[in-house]
Each structure stands twice: as C-alpha cells, then as structure tokens.
C-alpha cells in the first residue's frame, strides 16, 4: 500500500502538475453542457479549484478546449491517466494532458484563496464537522474618543477601519490557529451620515473574511496515500498565547500575497490591545 504524503495548502494552485489541458471537444455541445459534464467527471477525482471551457481559435477546427485546476497534484495525475484518450461525454476520444506551459508566477506571487474556496476545500477533506471557526474579537479601530473618523496616513483623507481576529480549530487533530484581518474604507471629502453607516455595515464582514483567509493560510492538509488526512498549522510566534493573553502584537505575515480577486493587502502589525 502506498503511504506517500502530499501537502495541500489553502492557496491558489498555479503548478503545472495540478493543471490539466483537455482538447478535442466537439462543437456539437454547448459550453454549459461541456462545463457541467467535465465538472462532474473530474470532480470525482478530487477537489477542483477552477474549470474553464474555451472555444478553439478561428484558425483551428471548430470545437472547444478546457482547462482544469486541481488542488492536488496526485489527484490531477490520476485524473489524467484515467481520462486520456477516452470519449467521456462524446463519441470521439479526448486528449487530456498535464499542462506544460511554464508559469510566470513565482512563489512570491502566491495568492490566498477566497473565504468560500477555503471553506469548500476544508469541507472536502475534513467534512463539515471537521473544523470550526469563531470570532475572537471584532472592533472598529478608526473612531477616536470624539467619534470622528481617523485620517488615512497616506491619503490624508477620512477613513473607517475595522480589525478582526478569528480562530480556527480542528478538533479531531488537536491543532488550532488564528488569523488577523483589516478592512479600511477611505472617503472622498466629508462623508455623510448615511454613507458612513453603510460602510459600518460592510466593513466588519470584510475584516472577518480577511481574518479567515489569514488563518487558513497557515493550515496544511497532509494527505496520505491511504486517503487519511492530517492537519498541521504554521503558527506565528505570538500564537502560543491564550485568548485571554492576546494583549500585544500579532504580525500578519505575507498578507500582501493577495487573493483570487487580485486584492493586495499590506503587511500589517495589529495591536490587539486596541481591539479589546
């Protein structure tokens, strides 16, 4: 029995060995039918990050090709071996191969997964009861004692800012980690009461989502060859403290990785005494 392990991280997969290229798709099907058929087939081999169906170039024969991204290189390889040269949903065989184009993205351009993708990946490997999350603290950190908005240091414009700390727990594996998120809105001119109120309703969720993303960024899923999954966390030095001792500093490492939506977040150091 093969017990080789593979590490799956909560980040956008960019490696060639996790990407399949499918060509030879006939033009007799709609894009929606092709997408649904391919998703049903390839999701049976493992969790999919992304699937795209594209019409062939005008200089080529009519038809389509598709690109499928897995989180796992092992699952992508199994899918390629099992589906290559088979018709799957059409009579003529499809050509399925691992992507060979070299990616221009280096490790420093790694992007964090969106919150919904993080939850999907965690549920796939751990099940709905295999992990929990909770908000440790969530607070408006922009208002002064007088109730006025703070001034953004870069733009010198009024701004509203929320900070959040979220904890993830994996009870079956005895590990846990925390994440920190900041959400800020800079206003043009003097904002009205209604505009500020709307942003006060939106920013807490955005801060929580970013804290969740930061927490999942630290999680490693170790998938053994027998299908068993082990969870480990890359803890920051400050995470050895208890929730009651969260006064002090937690540094948000690599938040500038960004997300699938190409949002770039600055490196942050959050004073949690301001959130108590």
């Amino acid at each position: 029995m093969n017990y080789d392990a593979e590490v799956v991280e909560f980040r956008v997969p960019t490696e060639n060995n996790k990407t399949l290229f499918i060509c030879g798709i006939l033009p007799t099907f709609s894009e929606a039918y092709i997408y649904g058929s391919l998703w049903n087939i390839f999701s049976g081999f493992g969790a999919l990050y992304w699937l795209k169906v594209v019409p062939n170039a005008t200089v080529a024969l009519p038809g389509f090709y598709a690109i499928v991204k897995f989180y796992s290189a092992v699952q992508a390889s199994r899918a390629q071996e099992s589906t290559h040269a088979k018709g799957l949903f059409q009579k003529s065989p499809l050509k399925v191969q691992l992507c060979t184009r070299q990616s221009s993205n280096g490790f420093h351009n790694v992007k964090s997964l969106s919150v919904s993708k993080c939850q999907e990946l965690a549920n796939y490997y751990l099940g709905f009861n295999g992990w929990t999350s909770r908000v440790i603290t969530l607070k408006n950190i922009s208002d002064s004692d007088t109730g006025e908005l703070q001034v953004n240091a870069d733009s010198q414009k009024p701004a509203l800012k929320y900070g959040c700390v979220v904890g993830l727990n994996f009870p079956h594996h005895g590990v846990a980690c925390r994440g920190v998120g900041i959400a800020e809105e800079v206003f043009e001119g003097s904002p009205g009461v209604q505009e500020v109120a709307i942003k006060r309703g939106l920013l807490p969720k955005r801060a929580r989502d970013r804290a969740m993303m930061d927490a999942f960024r630290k999680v490693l899923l170790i998938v053994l060859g027998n299908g068993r999954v082990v969870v480990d966390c890359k803890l920051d030095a400050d995470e050895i403290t208890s929730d009651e001792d969260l006064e002090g500093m937690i540094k948000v490492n690599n938040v500038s990785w960004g997300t699938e939506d190409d949002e770039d977040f600055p490196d942050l150091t959050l004073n949690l005494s301001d959130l108590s």
Side-chain angles (χ1 to χ4, degrees), residues 209-260:
D209 286 350
R210 292 181 178 180
M212 287 278 287
M213 290 162 52
D214 183 56
F216 272 115
R217 175 184 61 82
K218 304 171 185 178
V219 178
L220 301 176
L221 300 174
I222 304 169
V223 185
L224 305 179
N226 62 353
R228 181 168 175 255
V229 179
V230 179
V231 180
D232 196 6
C233 293
K234 302 175 290 184
L235 298 181
D236 293 334
D238 295 308
E239 293 189 73
I240 61 174
T241 60
S242 65
D243 292 348
E244 292 76 14
D245 298 327
L246 275 177
E247 303 294 335
M249 311 297 289
I250 288 183
K251 185 175 181 181
V252 184
N253 297 315
N254 298 321
V255 176
S256 59
W257 283 1
T259 70
E260 300 164 294

Side-chain angles (χ1 to χ4, degrees), residues 81-102:
E81 294 175 357
S82 299
T83 59
H84 176 62
K86 295 182 180 179
L88 302 181
F89 59 89
Q90 64 180 34
K91 293 183 179 180
S92 58
L94 297 171
K95 184 177 182 181
V96 181
Q97 58 188 147
L98 289 169
C99 181
T100 57
R101 178 179 296 179
Q102 294 297 318

